[in-house]
Amino acid sequence: MSKSATIKAVRGMNDILPTDSALWLKVERICAQIFSQHSYAQIRTPLIESTHLFARSIGADTDIVSKEMYTFADRNGDSLTLRPEGTASTVRAGIENGLFYNQQQRLWYVGPMFRHERPQKGRYRQFYQIGVECYGWSTPDIEAEVLSISHKVFQTLGLGRTNLQINSLGDSDARGRYREALVKYLSDCKEQLDEDSQRRLETNPLRILDSKNQDTQALLKEAPSILNYLSEESAKSFSDLQLYLNDLGVPFTINSKLVRGLDYYNDTVFEWVNEDFGAQSTVCGGGRYDRMVEQLGGKATPAFGFAMGLERLVQILQEQEADIAIEGDSADVFLISVGASARRQMIKLQSNLVSAGLNVQCHMGEGSMKNQFKRADKSGAKIAIIIGEEEAEKNSANIKILRRTDNPLAQQAVLQNDAPNMVTNLLKSL
Ligand code: ATP
Ligand code: MG
């Protein structure tokens, strides 16, 4: 590489720039608030885990483990992996810290995940997920709570045209019997299946239902439905969940081909799918994974959760031009100063205004009064505070309301010490 070649971000890994980050923050804040209103506590786990963790929990035949993980040997030769999802890490942390020991847990997380996929709209190599996980409940009431949370998040954000699909994968007995029926059905048309699906017919036939290949999907039209293989218990639980969803006013459709791309699920699985976003239309997916805690060495603990893809969510909101008020993207007050002693006072005044809860932007460095006013106007601030050389001598300042000619208080002198109160009241009246 020549010395002057510019360095670019790694393919599939995005910068989130100031034009977008306000919306990101808003989405994260709304999620955090709705989660905490439902008594969920945040958990933060490392970005890097032992490779075994994912191989053992997600399933060796999944796309993630077979071809998408960022796996490397560290300096000691240990095999480590950048986390491709958040559930396995949450379970690992829960077992390691005794969180499941005679306790129930409602948890949430947010952060970047890494998968070596082909980058395209809505599909990146580093992407953010925000998710919730519940441990210790085997009943459908917790499932209704979790689904209601995702619904509330979308409602609050004004996300439209995004529909809930649910399915039940039953217990392992049911899946065993269904697997046989599905293999029998597909064996007759094996030659017409896509290459991946042909292989999966031997290794993991249920995953064929998740195939994105159109021809394979067409072949599956008349395939047997897993819902006809459920145990009485699974069927009751699935129908109870539907009662709760009806009570909550959360619309859903049943999609008996929904299996999700990870091997760890049993019974209820679900996805929220946007109608307009094209191929990468799943914004949120999740389900029940009662075996994972035990599989990773803990005491058997029922579990239920979801993960939302934040890039897709933010992009859909932007495409829908959802009307989300974004606070904090422009200052309330812009500070202008002329001369060295005025600048010292301005820096201190900014600190005092911020302490009073205001959003403040200072003009830094030299600049003519005219120039500084131009910047004040551009900043979007409602009020400018000016400290000139004369004001500096008296520890005072001029307050000017920007972009309003009709206001009788268009400009007013005030002592700097009184400015925080004065400005706070003034802003209320604007
Ligand atoms: P898909 O079928 O779209 O690949 P998935 O089944 O692999 O999704 P999960 O592992 O369940 O998805 O992750 C939950 C959510 O995270 C997805 O619904 C999606 O919104 C988001 N997501 C998954 N992979 C990516 C990616 N590579 N880039 C951006 N978002 C992603
Ligand atoms: Mg995927």
Side-chain angles (χ1 to χ4, degrees), residues 151-288:
H151 184 239
K152 279 224 158 55
V153 166
F154 297 149
Q155 265 188 327
T156 311
L157 288 169
L159 183 78
R161 297 172 61 79
T162 305
N163 307 311
L164 174 62
Q165 300 182 2
I166 60 172
N167 190 24
S168 175
L169 302 176
D171 56 18
S172 56
D173 247 25
R175 276 194 307 286
R177 283 181 289 121
Y178 176 64
R179 185 188 158 116
E180 243 171 69
L182 185 65
V183 169
K184 191 153 170 254
Y185 172 85
L186 287 174
S187 294
D188 296 340
C189 51
K190 185 174 174 187
E191 299 311 311
Q192 292 154 266
L193 291 172
D194 63 90
E195 211 178 297
D196 266 353
S197 297
Q198 288 193 14
R199 185 173 47 79
R200 286 190 170 129
L201 203 52
E202 319 288 331
T203 56
N204 196 346
L206 262 70
R207 294 288 330 283
I208 297 172
L209 299 177
D210 194 43
S211 168
K212 300 211 161 79
N213 184 295
Q214 297 284 320
D215 298 334
T216 299
Q217 278 303 330
L219 289 174
L220 287 166
K221 270 224 162 69
E222 304 296 319
S225 161
I226 179 99
L227 294 174
N228 294 328
Y229 291 79
L230 299 184
S231 70
E232 218 173 285
E233 204 186 339
S234 289
K236 168 88 167 62
S237 180
F238 192 49
S239 81
D240 282 351
L241 171 63
Q242 295 169 46
L243 289 181
Y244 291 126
L245 291 175
N246 284 330
D247 290 346
L248 287 163
V250 178
F252 61 88
T253 54
I254 296 173
N255 172 3
S256 65
K257 298 208 171 61
L258 182 68
V259 287
R260 311 278 306 115
L262 305 92
D263 277 354
Y264 50 58
Y265 291 111
N266 65 280
D267 288 286
T268 306
V269 289
F270 67 93
E271 283 187 0
W272 287 92
V273 182
N274 183 265
E275 291 174 29
D276 308 312
F277 201 62
Q280 273 58 251
S281 53
T282 303
V283 193
C284 173
R288 180 165 284 289

Side-chain angles (χ1 to χ4, degrees), residues 115 117 122-124 127 129 212 260 282-283 307 309 312:
R115 297 182 194 175
E117 302 196 69
R123 193 174 292 290
Y124 309 103
F127 60 97
Q129 285 186 338
K212 300 211 161 79
R260 311 278 306 115
T282 303
V283 193
R312 289 184 200 178

Side-chain angles (χ1 to χ4, degrees), residues 413-425:
V414 62
L415 279 176
Q416 285 168 27
N417 280 344
D418 297 336
N421 265 338
M422 169 91 188
V423 170
T424 304
N425 291 330

Side-chain angles (χ1 to χ4, degrees), residues 76 78 102 132 137 184 238 263 275 303 335 356 376 379 406:
N76 303 327
D78 296 330
N102 290 333
V132 313
W137 293 274
K184 191 153 170 254
F238 192 49
D263 277 354
E275 291 174 29
L335 299 190
S379 76
D406 57 326

Side-chain angles (χ1 to χ4, degrees), residues 131-150:
V132 313
E133 313 285 2
C134 303
Y135 300 94
W137 293 274
S138 57
T139 42
D141 44 5
I142 195 74
E143 303 178 1
E145 177 177 285
V146 168
L147 283 165
S148 170
I149 288 173
S150 55

